[in-house]
Amino acid sequence: MEKLIITIAPTGNVPTKEKTPHVPVTPKEIAESVYESYMEGAAIAHIHARDEQGKPTYRRDIFKEIVERIREKCDIIIQISTGARAGKTAEERGEALDLGAEMASLTTGSSNFPTQVNSNSPDLIEYLCKRMLEFRVIPEVEVFDAAMIPNAIALAKKGLIPTPMHFNLVLGVPGSLPATPRNLFYLYESLPEDCTWQVSAIGPLHVELSMMAMALGGNIRTGIEDNIYYDKGVLATNPKLVERIVRVARAAGREIATPEEARRILNLR
Ligand code: ZN
């Protein structure tokens, strides 16, 4: 088995300072939290931006500051979110793709979030694919529902997504696929053979489903974007979430990939 790639998702669009003081929202806080997570073993940072009010935004200047601050601290792989929550138009959602980040998220279909549509029309998906190709940004295909896997395979056949593809199986978003072992195994069996993949397990089965992904040869995303709690009633911090995954992986004999090793495994070069 390849070494385990851990992605830290420190912020997301949903967690607020009212819900947890540990969520980083300013560029400085995000870069610090990413660096602390990198020191624990994270190889990829999945980045969302917030405006001065703490609201989700695609503002290029804010993404730019986050990317620069992270770059000053470490060589972690930076992955920019193009998700549906923060922006409306395709142009807005793809605005930060020219900042030199090596990866970006790409959702290949629509589903529901708790209070809004996770809206990704075929036109919008193709626009983001082309913009990623233009700036040599490697997509991470975000799978919130089973149909998003065949949709990604069809986009790869059209030359819009480079292969082998990298997938993130997102389980436990209310409105999308629940976080259960059966759903994880079903998505895993639906993946193309030559891909790399990880699980983002949201909710109380975070560790168990992460262990299952590990056993299946997959990788793991963790962070406050996915889970504001470390344990029942105990708020999480980003480095603590990474440290726990590292501990579990080492106990199972799986070594942790550095950013350089992750670049090789994911064909980022
Ligand atoms: Zn995200």
Side-chain angles (χ1 to χ4, degrees):
M1 249 183 224
E2 290 279 14
K3 289 187 178 179
L4 180 76
I5 301 170
I6 300 173
T7 297
I8 182 67
T11 305
N13 282 324
V14 179
T16 57
K17 288 276 190 200
E18 291 73 49
K19 284 201 177 117
T20 171
H22 305 304
V23 61
V25 296
T26 67
K28 189 164 180 277
E29 287 172 349
I30 292 170
E32 269 163 20
S33 199
V34 164
Y35 179 67
E36 288 167 8
S37 305
Y38 158 84
M39 291 302 285
E40 293 293 343
I44 303 176
H46 169 83
I47 299 298
H48 288 256
R50 303 284 185 94
D51 66 15
E52 290 77 4
Q53 283 73 48
K55 298 249 157 49
T57 179
Y58 279 112
R59 268 173 50 195
R60 192 177 173 285
D61 59 323
I62 297 179
F63 267 116
K64 187 166 185 282
E65 188 183 342
I66 297 170
V67 169
E68 286 171 358
R69 282 180 181 273
I70 294 173
R71 277 283 155 271
E72 276 168 24
K73 290 174 184 288
C74 61
D75 71 334
I76 197 165
I77 297 163
I78 299 177
Q79 180 188 94
I80 283 183
S81 170
T82 67
R85 274 185 173 116
K88 290 179 182 72
T89 67
E91 289 75 18
E92 280 178 308
R93 287 173 52 179
E95 207 179 284
L97 290 173
D98 65 350
L99 289 173
E102 291 164 88
M103 298 182 82
S105 66
L106 174 75
T107 306
T108 50
S110 298
S111 62
N112 274 354
F113 291 134
T115 57
Q116 70 180 100
V117 183
N118 180 10
S119 176
N120 302 284
S121 70
D123 284 353
L124 176 136
I125 297 166
E126 288 208 8
Y127 171 84
L128 290 175
C129 285
K130 284 175 185 159
R131 210 163 146 79
M132 289 185 205
L133 284 173
E134 186 184 349
F135 295 103
R136 295 171 181 268
V137 176
I138 299 296
E140 174 182 272
V141 177
E142 308 296 307
V143 176
F144 292 82
D145 220 332
M148 296 180 189
I149 294 173
N151 287 349
I153 294 169
L155 289 161
K157 278 195 182 130
K158 285 165 90 174
L160 289 165
I161 301 180
T163 54
M165 287 188 278
H166 180 61
F167 288 87
N168 181 31
L169 310 179
V170 186
L171 294 170
V173 173
S176 302
L177 278 177
T180 66
R182 190 167 73 161
N183 285 339
L184 174 54
F185 198 72
Y186 172 59
L187 294 180
Y188 162 73
E189 285 196 312
S190 309
L191 291 169
E193 234 162 57
D194 65 348
C195 74
T196 52
W197 63 279
Q198 72 185 13
V199 70
S200 279
I202 295 155
L205 290 188
H206 174 65
V207 178
E208 286 87 339
L209 292 179
S210 297
M211 288 164 76
M212 188 175 156
M214 217 183 290
L216 292 169
N219 300 290
I220 296 169
R221 185 172 103 174
T222 192
I224 289 176
E225 168 167 357
D226 295 343
N227 290 288
I228 68 168
Y229 288 101
Y230 184 84
D231 207 343
K232 210 173 178 191
V234 182
L235 288 170
T237 69
N238 286 309
K240 268 188 78 178
L241 288 167
V242 174
E243 184 274 332
R244 177 167 62 183
I245 296 296
V246 170
R247 203 161 8 101
V248 171
R250 293 232 163 101
R254 186 122 176 242
E255 283 305 310
I256 309 301
T258 64
E260 255 336 278
E261 290 165 337
R263 284 183 177 95
R264 179 188 57 74
I265 296 166
L266 300 173
N267 293 300
L268 296 188
R269 289 284 161 77

